[in-house]
């Protein structure tokens, strides 16, 4: 999640996914009037992915453990141990999350059984549409070798 939110190998080191200004890339409590917004209205990140900061907080594969990153692998760390049934949630949301949780490095935890109106997950479809091929870094490349991400939002 973090690699994609940071913009992959095209990262410019932003604090939020695509900018250092949250208002330009993410929906959060200060710019939503208390309602969720349609995907893609704000600026995407360096990979062309929309709304990874703010919008809907996203479940991640990781179990939540405060101490895991102190000794985890640098590349693609996935925490399989954890405390209780807590799972990692990232990206923050439109419904009141602080700007800290909307950062590319912020993490929260929620019990795995929780359902909420500002919580979801991201599906990325990588195919060979229009003659493209599967590229590296979990990114699809179209026929012009331009990176594309496909979000399916329900």
């Amino acid at each position: 999640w973090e690699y994609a939110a940071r913009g992959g190998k095209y990262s410019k080191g932003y604090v939020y996914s695509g900018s250092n200004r949250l208002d330009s890339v993410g929906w959060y409590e200060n710019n939503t009037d208390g309602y969720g917004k349609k995907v893609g209205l704000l600026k995407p990140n360096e990979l062309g992915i929309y709304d990874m900061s703010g919008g809907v907080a996203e479940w991640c594969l990781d179990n939540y453990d405060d101490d895991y990153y102190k000794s985890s692998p640098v590349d693609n760390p996935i925490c399989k141990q954890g405390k209780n049934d807590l799972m990692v949630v990232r990206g923050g949301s439109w419904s009141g999350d602080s700007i800290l949780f909307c950062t590319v490095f912020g993490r929260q935890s929620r019990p795995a059984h929780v359902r909420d109106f500002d919580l979801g997950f991201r599906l990325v479809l990588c195919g060979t549409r229009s003659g493209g091929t599967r590229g590296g870094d979990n990114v699809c490349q179209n026929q012009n070798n331009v990176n594309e991400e496909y979000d399916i939002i329900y």
Side-chain angles (χ1 to χ4, degrees):
W1 187 96
E2 187 170 337
Y3 183 77
R6 288 182 181 270
K9 66 183 178 183
Y10 305 102
S11 177
K12 295 179 182 171
Y14 295 129
V15 174
Y16 305 105
S17 186
S19 178
N20 285 325
R21 288 186 44 245
L22 182 54
D23 284 333
S24 68
V25 294
W27 299 112
Y28 68 113
E29 65 182 339
N30 290 352
N31 66 356
T32 61
D33 299 323
Y35 298 97
K37 303 290 183 182
K38 184 177 176 182
V39 173
L41 295 176
L42 299 175
K43 189 175 125 182
N45 74 0
E46 298 91 329
L47 291 174
I49 305 173
Y50 292 90
D51 300 323
M52 289 197 76
S53 289
V56 174
E58 299 177 13
W59 287 112
C60 292
L61 181 61
D62 304 79
N63 292 83
Y64 187 84
D65 184 337
D66 279 331
D67 300 322
Y68 178 69
Y69 290 113
K70 293 176 183 174
S71 61
S72 70
V74 174
D75 291 333
N76 201 20
I78 298 173
C79 181
K80 294 189 181 191
Q81 75 259 6
K83 299 174 182 169
N84 304 317
D85 70 339
L86 296 178
M87 299 295 291
V88 172
V89 174
R90 301 195 69 169
S93 76
W94 57 268
S95 72
D97 280 331
S98 74
I99 58 175
L100 171 65
F101 294 125
C102 293
T103 64
V104 295
F105 49 81
R107 294 182 310 136
Q108 293 177 282
S109 66
R110 297 208 188 160
H113 66 275
V114 167
R115 292 182 181 178
D116 213 338
F117 59 91
D118 66 342
L119 180 61
F121 58 93
R122 181 174 299 261
L123 298 176
V124 178
L125 172 65
C126 186
T128 58
R129 188 163 64 167
S130 301
T133 59
R134 171 132 184 157
D137 299 323
N138 296 324
V139 175
C140 296
Q141 292 181 339
N142 66 18
Q143 68 273 16
N144 298 318
N145 291 323
V146 175
N147 293 330
E148 294 182 328
E149 288 285 337
Y150 300 96
D151 291 347
I152 302 170
I153 308 297
Y154 293 96

